[in-house]
Amino acid sequence: MPAVEHEALDPHRHSPSTRASVHTVYHVTAMSEALKAHSKGISQMGQSTTSFRMADVPMAADRTAGWAFFREHGDVFESNGTYFLVSADAVQFAHRHPEIFTSGPAFESLGSPVPLVPLAIDPPDHLRFRKVLDPMLAPRVINTMEDELRAQVRELIQAFAGRGECDIVTDLARLYPTQVFLTLFGMPLADRDMFIGWVEALVEQSTAESGREPTAEVVETAMALFGYLQRFIERKRAEPGADLLSKILAVRGEDAWTDEQILGLCFLFTLAGLDTVTATIGFVMMHLAKNPEVRQRLVDDPAMVGPTIEEILRLELPAPYTPRVTSQEVEVAGVVIPAGSMVQLCLGTANRDPRRYERPNEIGAELGDRGHLSFGGGIHRCLGSHLARRELRLVVEEFHRVIPDYEIAPGVEPEIVWPSGTHHLISLPLRFTPAEVKA
Ligand code: HEM
């Protein structure tokens, strides 16, 4: 597929309302900013009630200490008007009651003119979108993409295998999920680096000091990404293919989507489907580098790849909080939460609830698939979980097929960016015996 022309959105070509909408759409990227604001709440709460600041939570180097610090405040606690659901029971109660713990209002504060489909959509409309999307991201559909996705990850590993060293984040984890997204939407792989540049500029802004006005450059970046997605929708309408975007455009009748809804979905996928997988690849490779015995077990027995990835994802999740707003007063774990309250579902603490998990802070792959909430739960359960799991499995399989033995570069102690509403490593330098990728 020839590359699409990418001139930035021409202000003369697009009405002031489009520029304005792009400006506000840009705010969509601030999902983690909303979380940051709430974590700011914690620091205020910390300051005002328990004298701890979010920055003081020992999360950067070790999430075990970080989540234990969180758990000390009880199964449900309030900070600066925001309620945090900490226990697995409390989080799953909220998942079972989307009519009480609503998503729409939780994302409303971002002021996006395009609906964040389906994340910010509440019942009954939400089901209409999932009915169309779920079959398009089902395992049997992902199976048809596997050979292509495996070939792509082999090629990326080939690029550094002979060097004996790499940075997993920059050489693999940043690149692969974007390629998979472009493949899924039928967009040219040649646009990968440009796409990464756009998304990272927006994410960088969203994790910058909250309240910092977006620079002209960032707004232009958002307009370029928005413009690219809009033009691609027009292009797919004219030249449909076998990709997800063409399939959605082919939906007719009462289930048909508006262009705004399709744009909202594309934008959400760029936010929800790239950084999350990038972060998880980093965490999986970090834990396998730090735990040679866990690594050797999956090299010896490929059937352990899945359970090992699940356990690391249980302990290290890129999206550890999900926001909701209560539609009515509700009591959870003895705490009364007023109607209209902002609530954060703490998936990170729920995943380590000692009432649910034996040795909750350890990788217990040998204990089989003991489940976790890293993909959320209830009606908003992650739409891309099958694809994400496939990406992670292919990365682990292909990396260990070529490089079964490696270590973190001497003197490096990987840390996550902290405080932040999302968890991810900035870099992960590895050392290994130079290798040749076998066909
Ligand atoms: C390891 C990778 C991933 C993790 C940990 C993750 C995590 C999550 C979580 C926790 C939610 C629930 C949010 C909430 O309840 O408010 C969610 C929703 C969602 N995710 Fe993912 N995600 C991942 C990968 C992906 C990928 C690859 C895609 C797209 C291809 C994707 C698309 C979505 C969408 C569209 C939703 C909204 C679903 C709905 O509201 O019905 N995610 N994800």
Side-chain angles (χ1 to χ4, degrees):
M1 160 111 40
V4 172
E5 305 75 41
H6 302 309
E7 83 280 1
L9 267 185
D10 170 355
H12 308 297
R13 193 166 150 214
H14 296 277
S15 67
S17 65
T18 308
R19 278 183 73 80
S21 66
V22 169
H23 188 86
T24 43
V25 161
Y26 156 74
H27 281 290
V28 172
T29 65
M31 271 195 244
S32 64
E33 190 167 334
L35 287 170
K36 205 171 163 57
H38 297 306
S39 42
K40 218 170 181 44
I42 291 184
S43 65
Q44 278 148 0
M45 174 205 65
Q47 280 152 6
S48 63
T49 58
T50 59
S51 70
F52 83 79
R53 294 171 319 119
M54 200 58 176
D56 295 338
V57 177
M59 190 73 87
D62 175 11
R63 266 57 68 203
T64 301
W67 293 128
F69 195 103
F70 245 87
R71 296 178 59 71
E72 280 158 20
H73 295 88
D75 289 348
V76 175
F77 69 81
E78 181 259 342
S79 125
N80 211 34
T82 296
Y83 289 80
F84 291 77
L85 304 191
V86 170
S87 70
D89 283 349
V91 168
Q92 289 191 306
F93 176 79
H95 282 155
R96 286 195 300 276
H97 295 283
E99 76 288 359
I100 301 175
F101 295 89
T102 64
S103 288
F107 292 99
E108 229 164 56
S109 60
L110 303 175
S112 165
V114 284
L116 283 183
V117 171
L119 185 60
I121 312 294
D122 287 306
D125 277 359
H126 177 262
L127 183 59
R128 185 169 81 84
F129 294 108
R130 288 296 295 240
K131 228 175 53 187
V132 169
L133 291 167
D134 283 338
M136 294 178 181
L137 285 154
R140 62 179 165 69
V141 174
I142 309 298
N143 291 346
T144 63
M145 298 172 71
E146 175 151 334
D147 292 350
E148 164 67 15
L149 299 187
R150 190 182 290 278
Q152 289 185 20
V153 74
R154 276 190 184 175
E155 195 182 329
L156 291 169
I157 293 168
Q158 173 99 16
F160 59 74
R163 288 204 314 251
E165 54 89 25
C166 72
D167 185 315
I168 281 288
V169 175
T170 49
D171 295 328
L172 183 59
R174 262 174 87 238
L175 310 177
Y176 187 50
T178 301
Q179 289 187 197
V180 172
F181 168 83
L182 294 171
T183 306
L184 183 70
F185 278 71
M187 297 168 179
L189 289 186
D191 294 345
R192 180 195 71 189
D193 295 346
M194 177 185 60
F195 219 87
I196 290 174
W198 285 338
V199 172
E200 288 190 345
L202 301 178
V203 171
E204 190 276 330
Q205 168 67 25
S206 74
T207 53
E209 194 45 47
S210 63
R212 184 180 88 184
E213 265 307 299
T215 61
E217 187 235 344
V218 166
V219 174
E220 287 310 318
T221 302
M223 288 171 65
L225 173 59
F226 197 48
Y228 175 92
L229 294 171
Q230 243 174 340
R231 278 194 298 283
F232 231 90
I233 291 171
E234 290 154 16
R235 187 190 183 95
K236 285 289 174 187
R237 185 168 279 128
E239 300 163 37
D243 54 84
L244 186 135
L245 195 48
S246 300
K247 289 177 188 166
I248 294 173
L249 286 164
V251 175
R252 294 275 181 271
E254 61 184 39
D255 284 340
W257 295 24
T258 66
D259 274 15
E260 274 201 341
Q261 290 164 341
I262 297 172
L263 196 56
L265 175 92
C266 296
F267 211 86
L268 176 64
F269 268 53
T270 61
L271 298 173
L274 307 182
D275 268 23
T276 46
V277 182
T278 296
T280 309
I281 293 172
F283 288 132
V284 167
M285 296 305 294
M286 176 186 77
H287 279 277
L288 292 175
K290 283 183 171 184
N291 300 285
E293 73 296 343
V294 174
R295 180 171 80 231
Q296 194 55 45
R297 201 170 42 208
L298 61 77
V299 169
D300 297 342
D301 176 6
M304 289 305 288
V305 170
T308 306
I309 289 173
E310 294 302 321
E311 272 293 287
I312 296 173
L313 196 45
R314 179 179 67 81
L315 297 173
E316 300 276 19
L317 51 175
Y321 322 87
T322 53
R324 299 287 187 269
V325 169
T326 49
S327 63
Q328 61 183 68
E329 180 178 293
V330 59
E331 182 178 329
V332 186
V335 175
V336 175
I337 304 176
S341 299
M342 177 54 81
V343 177
Q344 290 292 349
L345 313 187
C346 295
L347 310 178
T349 48
N351 276 359
R352 292 171 184 246
D353 191 327
R355 288 158 290 192
R356 289 285 181 91
Y357 299 96
E358 189 192 327
R359 295 186 280 125
N361 296 314
E362 291 170 31
I363 300 173
E366 72 287 356
L367 300 169
D369 181 1
R370 34 193 195 158
H372 56 73
L373 296 172
S374 302
F375 289 115
I379 64 166
H380 291 289
R381 179 178 165 66
C382 180
L383 179 67
S385 62
H386 302 302
L387 179 61
R389 283 184 163 116
R390 192 66 55 95
E391 292 177 61
L392 295 166
R393 177 165 65 75
L394 293 175
V395 164
V396 171
E397 284 177 355
E398 289 302 317
F399 192 94
H400 293 84
R401 200 174 66 85
V402 178
I403 308 168
D405 203 12
Y406 49 91
E407 61 178 9
I408 295 176
V412 173
E413 269 310 317
E415 288 204 345
I416 67 167
V417 176
W418 184 255
S420 172
T422 59
H423 287 188
H424 58 278
L425 302 170
I426 289 291
S427 84
L428 182 68
L430 296 182
R431 299 286 177 271
F432 47 86
T433 307
E436 185 54 41
V437 173
K438 297 178 261 344

